[in-house]
Amino acid sequence: MFTTKLGMVKISRMKEIRTAPATVVAVACLAVAIDNIAYAISFACLPHVFEDMHLASESKVGLASTMFGVGSFITSILSGIVSDRIRSRKLPIIVGAIGYSLCGVILFFSSKLHHVLLYRLVNGLASGCTYPIATATVGDVYPNRLLGLQMALVNTFASVGYTIGPVLGGALYDSVGIRGVSAVLTQEPLKPGSFWDTSEKQSQINSIESSLDSAKSMPLWKLVFQWQVLSASMTTLSVGMLAGSLENVLPIYTKDRFKISASKTGLLFVVNGGIAIALSTPTGWIVDRLIRKHGERMRAYIELAGLVLIGGAIVLLGSSTSFAMITGAEIWFAAALLMVNVPVMSSFGDFVNALGLDSMAQSYGLYNSFWSLSSTIAPPIATTLYTQIGYKATVAGVLTGLCATCAALILAQPLWQLLRNAFKKKLDRFL
C-alpha cells in the first residue's frame, strides 16, 4: 500500500513538472533549436553542392531558399489555423517531424537540381508545422505577461540551431559529401513524448482560465488586418528579406572572392548565432522593461534604433575587402537585428494576450509565414543581382534601401497616431 501511494505521488509530481510553464518553455525551445538545425544545415554547403554536382549557376542557389520559403509559408498558416481550431499543439509538430525525415531521404538521393529544390520545399513544409506551433506554446503558458523575455529565450535556442546547422553541414559535406548532411536529417528530429502531453495539458489549463466570452479565436483574415499585427508582419517581411539576402549572398561571395571552404563559411553563421545566443535574453528583458515603463510606443523606438544600426552594418558589409571585415560586420549586424526582431516577434503574442484571444497559434503562424515569404522573395532576387551587378552594389545599395523601407513601415503607426490626435484636438477646438 505504501509503495502504491509513493508511486502515485511520483506520478502526480511528474505531471506537475510536465505542465509547469518553465517545462513547456524549455521543451518548446529545444524543438525550435532542432528546427533551426534542420533549416540551416545546408546553408554553408549549398553553393558547393551546386558547383561540385554541376546542378546550375550560382544565381539558382537563391531558388532553393525560395522553395523553403514557399513550403514554410503554406504550412505556417495552415498549422496555426488547425492547431487553434482543434485546441492541440500535438498534431502539427508530429507532421513536421515526419517531414524532416522525408526531406533527409530526398537529399540522400539528390543528383539533379529539381531534387535539391524538392528537398528544400519539404524542409520548408516541415518547418512551418514546427516553429510557429512551438512558439505559440510559449505564449499559451504566459497569458498575462509581456512576451519579450520569453520570445528572446525562443530566439536564443533558435540561434543555437542556426549556429550549429551550417557548421555541422559544412563539416559533413567537406568530409563525406551530401549524404553525410542527409543522414542527420533522416534521423527523426523530434521525439514527441513529453512535449506533446505537456503542451496539450497546459493548453487545457489555459482554456479553463480564459473561458470568458471575449476569449474566442479571431478569424485569420481579421487578425492580419489588426494594426499592430499588420505593422509587425510588414516589418518581419522586410527584416526577413534583409537576413535572407545576406544568408545567400555571403556564402557565394566568400567562396568566389576568398576561396573559403564550406566548413569555414559556416563560421559566419557561428558568429551570427553566437551573438544572438549571448544577447537575446538581455534584449528581451530590456524590451519588456522599457515597454512596461513607457508604454507600447517604446516598441517602435527600439525597432527604429535597431534599424539605424542595421543600416550601418550593411554599409560596412558592402564595403568589406577581407573575410575578417565581413566577420566583424556580421557581429554588428547580428546584434542590431535583435533590437528589431525581439520586439517585433513578441508583439504578435502581446497583442493576443492583451485582448484575451485564443488565437496564439494563428498569430505566430502569421509571423512565420511572413518570415517565410521573405525567404521566398529575397534569395533569388539577391543572388541574381549579385551575378548581374556585383556584391557591393547588391549589399550596400539595394539592401540599404530595403532597410529604409522597413523604417518607414515602423514609423507609419506612430505618425498616423500623432496626426490623428492632432486632427482630433483641432476638431474639438473648432466645435
Side-chain angles (χ1 to χ4, degrees):
M1 179 68 72
F2 177 76
T3 305
T4 304
K5 287 183 177 179
L6 184 62
M8 292 178 66
V9 169
K10 287 183 177 179
I11 292 172
S12 177
R13 176 60 178 160
M14 181 59 68
K15 286 183 178 180
E16 288 179 8
I17 293 172
R18 291 172 69 184
T19 56
T23 306
V24 177
V25 172
V27 184
C29 287
L30 179 61
V32 168
I34 295 172
D35 172 70
N36 271 264
I37 291 174
Y39 162 61
I41 197 167
S42 63
F43 279 177
C45 64
L46 267 185
H48 298 267
V49 171
F50 273 63
E51 183 177 29
D52 296 344
M53 296 176 68
H54 307 288
L55 297 180
S57 65
E58 290 177 335
S59 63
K60 295 295 190 296
V61 172
L63 187 59
S65 295
T66 293
M67 297 305 293
F68 177 92
V70 169
S72 184
F73 179 79
I74 293 170
T75 50
S76 291
I77 294 175
L78 292 178
S79 64
I81 294 173
V82 170
S83 183
D84 278 342
R85 185 159 295 181
I86 66 176
R87 293 179 179 272
S88 169
R89 307 300 187 224
K90 181 177 182 178
L91 181 62
I93 309 186
I94 289 181
V95 172
I98 296 170
Y100 283 132
S101 297
L102 179 60
C103 76
V105 173
I106 295 170
L107 185 62
F108 186 86
F109 294 104
S110 293
S111 59
K112 296 182 180 179
L113 176 62
H114 66 270
H115 295 158
V116 176
L117 298 182
L118 179 61
Y119 145 67
R120 286 299 277 171
L121 175 65
V122 177
N123 196 340
L125 290 168
S127 182
C129 290
T130 304
Y131 185 89
I133 303 303
T135 306
T137 306
V138 177
D140 288 340
V141 296
Y142 290 102
N144 300 314
R145 295 190 191 176
L146 290 172
L147 294 175
L149 180 59
Q150 285 73 30
M151 290 306 152
L153 285 171
V154 172
N155 195 63
T156 298
F157 279 83
S159 300
V160 170
Y162 184 85
T163 303
I164 294 173
V167 176
L168 179 62
L172 286 171
Y173 184 79
D174 284 345
S175 57
V176 294
I178 194 67
R179 293 187 175 180
V181 179
S182 66
V184 175
L185 288 168
T186 305
Q187 303 301 313
E188 185 180 356
L190 293 173
K191 302 294 182 183
S194 61
F195 174 65
W196 316 134
D197 292 338
T198 297
S199 63
E200 283 198 304
K201 289 171 185 173
Q202 192 63 49
S203 294
Q204 291 169 6
I205 292 170
N206 290 338
S207 296
I208 294 171
E209 290 178 342
S210 61
S211 57
L212 301 171
D213 291 339
S214 59
K216 295 180 180 179
S217 182
M218 182 180 288
L220 185 66
W221 65 267
K222 191 174 181 180
L223 183 66
V224 77
F225 284 110
Q226 301 302 305
W227 181 259
Q228 184 171 331
V229 176
L230 181 61
S231 175
S233 298
M234 292 298 102
T235 304
T236 299
L237 178 64
S238 302
V239 173
M241 289 178 70
L242 282 170
S245 298
L246 291 175
E247 284 171 359
N248 286 268
V249 169
L250 283 179
I252 300 173
Y253 176 67
T254 54
K255 178 182 72 69
D256 292 345
R257 177 71 185 274
F258 308 113
K259 307 302 178 186
I260 299 296
S261 65
S263 55
K264 194 171 182 181
T265 301
L267 292 176
L268 286 173
F269 298 95
V270 171
V271 168
N272 196 316
I275 293 297
I277 291 167
L279 299 181
S280 284
T281 302
T283 302
W285 181 82
I286 292 170
V287 166
D288 277 353
R289 188 176 179 85
L290 289 174
I291 292 175
R292 194 175 290 114
K293 184 175 181 179
H294 300 287
E296 185 64 29
R297 66 181 184 276
M298 278 302 300
R299 193 185 302 271
Y301 299 150
I302 296 168
E303 293 167 5
L304 284 171
L307 278 171
V308 171
L309 293 174
I310 286 175
I314 289 174
V315 171
L316 182 59
L317 277 169
S319 58
S320 295
T321 55
S322 68
F323 187 72
M325 285 185 67
I326 288 178
T327 304
E330 269 288 285
I331 293 173
W332 182 352
F333 177 80
L337 186 63
L338 287 175
M339 293 180 63
V340 180
N341 196 36
V342 168
V344 167
M345 187 178 180
S346 64
S347 68
F348 286 87
D350 289 342
F351 174 79
V352 171
N353 283 342
L355 295 185
L357 299 174
D358 188 18
S359 303
M360 191 65 73
Q362 291 182 78
S363 181
Y364 279 105
L366 279 173
Y367 166 79
N368 203 56
S369 66
F370 275 93
W371 192 274
S372 302
L373 187 61
S374 70
S375 299
T376 304
I377 298 170
I381 296 175
T383 51
T384 301
L385 287 172
Y386 170 78
T387 57
Q388 297 295 322
I389 64 176
Y391 171 77
K392 187 173 183 179
T394 300
V395 175
V398 177
L399 296 189
T400 303
L402 185 59
C403 191
T405 302
C406 185
L409 289 170
I410 293 172
L411 278 171
Q413 181 180 8
L415 285 176
W416 168 251
Q417 191 71 33
L418 187 65
L419 289 172
R420 190 173 70 171
N421 290 341
F423 178 76
K424 187 177 179 181
K425 286 182 180 179
K426 287 187 176 181
L427 187 63
D428 289 343
R429 288 177 182 176
F430 179 77
L431 295 175

